[in-house]
Structure formats: C-alpha cells, structure tokens
Amino acid sequence: MSKITAAITAVGGYVPEDILTNKDLETMVDTTDEWIKTRTGIEERHILRAPGSGTSDLGVGAVEDLLRKRGISAEEIDLLICCTVTPDMAFPATANIICDKVGAKNAWGFDLGAACSGFLYGLTTATKFIETGTHKKVLVVGADKMSSIVDYTDRTTCVIFGDGAGAVLLEPTEEEVGILDSKMYSDGSGRVYLHQKAGGSLRPASHETVDAKEHYIFQDGRPVFKAAVTNMADVSAEIMERNNLSSDDVAYLVPHQANLRIIDATARRMGVSDEKVMINIQKYGNTTSGTIPLCLNDWEKKLKKGDNIVLAAFGGGFTWGAVYVKWAYNS
Ligand code: ACO
C-alpha cells in the first residue's frame, strides 16, 4: 500500500474591517510611523472591535471562506484544531465554539497554544491524524484576537500586534505532495521574556493582577529578537538540509510575520531571494497564530502544484519550527 500524505487542499483567511494605522498609534503612545516601519515593517493592523466578538468569530470567518472556496459543507469536517493564545474563554475550547458556529456537527476539536508557532505546531499535529488514515478532512485554524491582551499604553508591544485568522484543510493523498517534513522545538526557559503573567492557575485574576496590568502581553523585545533571528534561520536551514533542498528548489518561504528584520535574516540564511518571501506584515502586523495561513491565503493564486514551500515560525515559549510542504493544487 502506498504511503498516505497530508495535503493542504484549501485555504481561507479573515481579518476584521477596522484598521489601526501607525498614524492612529502616534496619537495614543509616544511613537512614530517612521519608527514602527523601520523597526518592524508594519504600517497598519486590523482590530476586532465589534462588541461581543472573540477569537472564534475570526476563526469562523476564515473557515467559512475556506469551505466556500473548497465547495464542501462544514458537516464533512472530522476534526478542527484551533491554534490560539487568545481563546474566547479558558474553556470550552474555541475549536468547539467554531465548530458550533459553522455547523461542523460531525467534528471533534481542541485548542493548541504555542504562541506565534501555534499554527506550525497545529499543522504538524493535524498531519498525524491524516497520515494514520483515521481522519479524512482536518481543519487547522490559526486565530488570535491579540487586541484583547495588548496594553494600548505600552508602546513596545501595542505597535506590533493585530487581529486575524487563517485556516487550511488537510486531506489524504497518495501523490508526492503535502506536508513532507516538520521539525519543531521548544525551550520553556524563554518564558521570562515573553508571557502573559496572570489569568492562569499560577496567578488567577484578582484586583491586584488587573491593577498591575498582568493580563497584558509582556515582552522584553531584545532577547526575543535575538533568539528569533537565530532559531528561525537555523531551523529553516535545517529543514532544507534534511530534504536536500537548495535555495533554487524553494519556491516560497512563508515566515511568521513578527518583524521584517527577523524575516530578512531567515531569508538570507536560506539564500532565497526577496521575491520568494511571503510578506504581508505591513497590512496585518503580527496576528500570532494567524500569520502563516493568512500568507498562504494571500498568495494562494500564485502557488502551483509541486511548489516547494518552507514555513517557519518563532514565538513565545520559546517555541519555534519549520515545515516543508509540497503544494498540492493549482487554484
Ligand atoms: N516607538 C518608539 N520608540 C520605541 C518603541 C516605539 N513603539 N518601542 C520601543 N521604543 C524605543 C525603546 O524604548 C528603546 O529606547 P532606548 O534605546 O531609549 O531604551 C529603543 O526604541 C530601542 O528599543 P529596542 O527594544 O531595542 O528596539 P528593537 O529594535 O529591538 O525593536 C521590537 C523592538 C520590534 C519589539 C523587536 O525587539 C522585536 O521584533 N522583537 C521580537 C518580536 C518577536 O519576534 N516576538 C515573537 C513573536 S510574538 C509571540 O509569540 C506572541
């Protein structure tokens, strides 16, 4: 029997309508459009402002876009993994809420948290359910409402993040396309540099934690930047080496969109030229779990069956990794 591989057979994306520009941020904190653009590459980001809306609503937007394009009903989905660090609530899982809202009545699901590497962790996990032959249609959703945990008086973090979601569908194939390799890493000692201090079991919410602003993202940018540059570049080079891929073989690098300088360092290490690097950070900012599937969605029409694509991410945890995908369809 030939080997079953998990192929990406559809993608979808969603960002909310409201836009927060660098100029808007200039009126909120001591920053400039120039500083944000040169240090990060970001020009604007989308923010989910509708009252009563959460991460599940972003995920629903991405899933509905995907189902429409693929021409299938939600009832055909077997499993939905929602990668997020901003779930609607601690429990039930946002995956369960998305399934309910889109009508994926036959699916089970769970949330997966690995910060900015969440989508690649989720994709790697989902692949196993397809490869074992037990599941036929698995959705991996990367969705984050980062505005819900951003302190808009902290100029070091509020300029970076945006809200958005992307989704991919995995289906089995016997062709030599799909998710061909994956290498994930984590190092929990990095938690001191990037975390949300309160709201979990260690420091449950209290007046004290709210007053101390411990429910917002804390980031010590420089050590995170240093670790991101090294590790994202190293793991991308590693995935190329172990699959005998030269820079000419790679059609696209799809990097997590945290900072243009981190993306450039990764591309240089891989030896791939600028036109092969997917970059949309200027319009979305860092949407955490959403960045990579949002790139795939934006570039979908340019992708061709057989294209070699390297996905790479680094994020809180620390977590990082790279995935080698051979694109499975022409759109
Ligand atoms: N506007 C103007 N000045 C600012 C701003 C701002 N928005 N933010 C910081 N500064 C100042 C700092 O206070 C500092 O001033 P000082 O020199 O007087 O102390 C100066 O700019 C330089 O600050 P740095 O922190 O050294 O700036 P840097 O060039 O490192 O850029 C950034 C900061 C963008 C946060 C960068 O460190 C970075 O991208 N880090 C990694 C982010 C990342 O990859 N995170 C992982 C994913 S996120 C996740 O997993 C949830």
Side-chain angles (χ1 to χ4, degrees), residues 105-271:
K105 293 192 186 112
N106 300 310
W108 64 290
F110 58 90
D111 289 358
L112 189 156
C116 294
S117 309
F119 181 75
L120 294 193
Y121 272 46
L123 192 62
T124 300
T125 305
T127 295
K128 309 303 171 197
F129 288 94
I130 297 287
E131 286 176 350
T132 51
T134 56
H135 291 65
K136 300 287 179 234
K137 285 187 172 56
V138 179
L139 277 177
V140 186
V141 180
D144 271 301
K145 183 185 172 186
M146 296 306 288
S147 61
S148 65
I149 57 167
V150 164
D151 175 2
Y152 285 99
T153 65
D154 173 12
R155 70 175 183 174
T156 68
T157 51
C158 74
V159 302
I160 297 172
F161 295 99
D163 300 339
V168 302
L169 178 67
L170 293 184
E171 295 185 75
T173 179
E174 293 187 0
E175 290 185 64
E176 273 204 29
V177 292
I179 315 298
L180 298 185
D181 196 13
S182 157
K183 181 66 192 165
M184 297 295 124
Y185 288 99
S186 67
D187 174 4
S189 69
R191 67 189 180 279
V192 292
Y193 304 114
L194 182 52
H195 57 253
Q196 185 185 353
K197 193 172 292 235
S201 60
L202 188 62
R203 283 183 71 73
S206 66
H207 281 292
E208 192 194 345
T209 62
V210 172
D211 290 345
K213 299 185 165 192
E214 291 179 357
H215 296 271
Y216 293 128
I217 299 165
F218 167 84
Q219 175 167 263
D220 185 355
R222 284 178 205 180
V224 177
F225 183 86
K226 226 174 127 194
V229 164
T230 310
N231 291 313
M232 213 163 111
D234 281 356
V235 74
S236 305
E238 182 184 353
I239 207 100
M240 283 173 73
E241 273 157 33
R242 48 192 245 178
N243 292 284
N244 297 317
L245 292 172
S246 72
S247 51
D248 287 343
D249 297 327
V250 175
Y252 287 101
L253 163 66
V254 193
H256 168 56
Q257 312 280 306
N259 185 316
L260 202 50
R261 291 178 290 149
I262 301 172
I263 295 172
D264 286 345
T266 304
R268 274 200 305 277
R269 177 73 190 281
M270 293 170 69

Side-chain angles (χ1 to χ4, degrees), residues 81-128:
I81 301 175
C82 180
C83 314
T84 188
V85 288
T86 53
D88 280 15
M89 53 191 82
F91 71 89
T94 300
N96 303 152
I97 301 170
I98 296 173
C99 285
D100 177 50
K101 288 182 175 176
V102 301
K105 293 192 186 112
N106 300 310
W108 64 290
F110 58 90
D111 289 358
L112 189 156
C116 294
S117 309
F119 181 75
L120 294 193
Y121 272 46
L123 192 62
T124 300
T125 305
T127 295
K128 309 303 171 197

